[in-house]
Amino acid sequence: MGWRGLLVPELARFMGFTELALLSGAIWAAWHMPVVLFSTYNGAGPLWYSLLMFIPSVMGAGLILAWLRLRSGSVIPAILFHGFWNYFIQSFYPALTVQTPPSDMMLGEFGWASAATYILLALVFWHFRTRLPESYTKEIS
């Protein structure tokens, strides 16, 4: 509600989509840092690896969620996307795999497959930034 519901539309008043998506994603990543750094909310392997995978994932997700919020005019699609992604990445996919150290470093929120998927999806959504309402496409015109 806070990031996509309030922050993204407010940032859109002052900057184009690319800048607002990257800034809101960076703020969202920073929001997660205390819990990643100072609790057990991180992946298998060293902490630096979790950060190296998690930050691009959150940045990519931030772009996707900002696009969904601005395109729909509602926070609901962003909430649903985030909820479904968390369910699949935290519950559904792990139930389908045998957990080993290499699979743990590939799968889950802190795995390279998640980071790669989010980056690829973010590039697709960024490509379609011209489909956002005209008031959000300042840098393109």
Side-chain angles (χ1 to χ4, degrees), residues 41 50 90 92 115 123 125 132:
Y41 182 63
S50 291
Q90 294 172 0
F92 184 77
L123 289 171
F125 278 79
L132 292 171

PDB file of all heavy atoms in Angstrom, residues 41 50 90 92 115 123 125 132:
ATOM      1  N   TYR A  41      16.343 -13.793   7.698  1.00  0.00           N
ATOM      2  CA  TYR A  41      15.707 -13.618   6.393  1.00  0.00           C
ATOM      3  C   TYR A  41      16.795 -13.403   5.339  1.00  0.00           C
ATOM      4  O   TYR A  41      17.116 -12.292   4.958  1.00  0.00           O
ATOM      5  CB  TYR A  41      14.737 -12.439   6.424  1.00  0.00           C
ATOM      6  CG  TYR A  41      13.998 -12.198   5.121  1.00  0.00           C
ATOM      7  CD1 TYR A  41      13.138 -13.152   4.604  1.00  0.00           C
ATOM      8  CD2 TYR A  41      14.152 -11.010   4.423  1.00  0.00           C
ATOM      9  CE1 TYR A  41      12.456 -12.934   3.425  1.00  0.00           C
ATOM     10  CE2 TYR A  41      13.470 -10.771   3.239  1.00  0.00           C
ATOM     11  CZ  TYR A  41      12.635 -11.742   2.747  1.00  0.00           C
ATOM     12  OH  TYR A  41      11.957 -11.524   1.571  1.00  0.00           O
ATOM     13  N   SER A  50      23.381 -13.631  -0.830  1.00  0.00           N
ATOM     14  CA  SER A  50      21.965 -13.285  -0.661  1.00  0.00           C
ATOM     15  C   SER A  50      21.705 -11.857  -1.111  1.00  0.00           C
ATOM     16  O   SER A  50      20.732 -11.583  -1.821  1.00  0.00           O
ATOM     17  CB  SER A  50      21.538 -13.454   0.797  1.00  0.00           C
ATOM     18  OG  SER A  50      21.519 -14.809   1.163  1.00  0.00           O
ATOM     19  N   GLN A  90       8.134 -18.985  -2.168  1.00  0.00           N
ATOM     20  CA  GLN A  90       8.382 -19.416  -0.796  1.00  0.00           C
ATOM     21  C   GLN A  90       7.739 -20.754  -0.448  1.00  0.00           C
ATOM     22  O   GLN A  90       8.215 -21.438   0.460  1.00  0.00           O
ATOM     23  CB  GLN A  90       7.878 -18.363   0.192  1.00  0.00           C
ATOM     24  CG  GLN A  90       8.624 -17.065   0.123  1.00  0.00           C
ATOM     25  CD  GLN A  90       7.981 -15.965   0.966  1.00  0.00           C
ATOM     26  OE1 GLN A  90       6.956 -16.165   1.610  1.00  0.00           O
ATOM     27  NE2 GLN A  90       8.583 -14.797   0.936  1.00  0.00           N
ATOM     28  N   PHE A  92       5.278 -22.941  -3.008  1.00  0.00           N
ATOM     29  CA  PHE A  92       4.937 -23.890  -4.065  1.00  0.00           C
ATOM     30  C   PHE A  92       6.178 -24.526  -4.691  1.00  0.00           C
ATOM     31  O   PHE A  92       6.307 -25.752  -4.722  1.00  0.00           O
ATOM     32  CB  PHE A  92       4.095 -23.182  -5.125  1.00  0.00           C
ATOM     33  CG  PHE A  92       3.599 -24.097  -6.211  1.00  0.00           C
ATOM     34  CD1 PHE A  92       2.528 -24.940  -5.982  1.00  0.00           C
ATOM     35  CD2 PHE A  92       4.218 -24.123  -7.455  1.00  0.00           C
ATOM     36  CE1 PHE A  92       2.067 -25.785  -6.973  1.00  0.00           C
ATOM     37  CE2 PHE A  92       3.762 -24.965  -8.449  1.00  0.00           C
ATOM     38  CZ  PHE A  92       2.688 -25.802  -8.211  1.00  0.00           C
ATOM     39  N   ALA A 115      16.458 -13.895  -9.284  1.00  0.00           N
ATOM     40  CA  ALA A 115      17.030 -12.625  -9.744  1.00  0.00           C
ATOM     41  C   ALA A 115      16.968 -12.530 -11.268  1.00  0.00           C
ATOM     42  O   ALA A 115      16.561 -11.503 -11.825  1.00  0.00           O
ATOM     43  CB  ALA A 115      18.463 -12.485  -9.247  1.00  0.00           C
ATOM     44  N   LEU A 123      12.649  -6.105 -17.702  1.00  0.00           N
ATOM     45  CA  LEU A 123      12.986  -5.591 -19.032  1.00  0.00           C
ATOM     46  C   LEU A 123      11.780  -5.634 -19.970  1.00  0.00           C
ATOM     47  O   LEU A 123      11.575  -4.713 -20.769  1.00  0.00           O
ATOM     48  CB  LEU A 123      14.160  -6.375 -19.623  1.00  0.00           C
ATOM     49  CG  LEU A 123      15.508  -6.118 -18.961  1.00  0.00           C
ATOM     50  CD1 LEU A 123      16.559  -7.094 -19.477  1.00  0.00           C
ATOM     51  CD2 LEU A 123      15.952  -4.675 -19.159  1.00  0.00           C
ATOM     52  N   PHE A 125       8.556  -5.463 -19.001  1.00  0.00           N
ATOM     53  CA  PHE A 125       7.655  -4.398 -18.557  1.00  0.00           C
ATOM     54  C   PHE A 125       8.202  -3.024 -18.922  1.00  0.00           C
ATOM     55  O   PHE A 125       7.456  -2.142 -19.321  1.00  0.00           O
ATOM     56  CB  PHE A 125       7.395  -4.495 -17.044  1.00  0.00           C
ATOM     57  CG  PHE A 125       6.330  -5.489 -16.684  1.00  0.00           C
ATOM     58  CD1 PHE A 125       6.605  -6.852 -16.647  1.00  0.00           C
ATOM     59  CD2 PHE A 125       5.048  -5.067 -16.370  1.00  0.00           C
ATOM     60  CE1 PHE A 125       5.621  -7.765 -16.313  1.00  0.00           C
ATOM     61  CE2 PHE A 125       4.054  -5.970 -16.034  1.00  0.00           C
ATOM     62  CZ  PHE A 125       4.346  -7.334 -16.013  1.00  0.00           C
ATOM     63  N   LEU A 132       1.890   2.922 -20.720  1.00  0.00           N
ATOM     64  CA  LEU A 132       1.406   3.594 -19.517  1.00  0.00           C
ATOM     65  C   LEU A 132       0.641   4.846 -19.920  1.00  0.00           C
ATOM     66  O   LEU A 132       0.853   5.376 -21.016  1.00  0.00           O
ATOM     67  CB  LEU A 132       2.589   3.982 -18.621  1.00  0.00           C
ATOM     68  CG  LEU A 132       3.344   2.813 -17.994  1.00  0.00           C
ATOM     69  CD1 LEU A 132       4.611   3.316 -17.313  1.00  0.00           C
ATOM     70  CD2 LEU A 132       2.458   2.078 -17.009  1.00  0.00           C
TER      71      LEU A 132
END
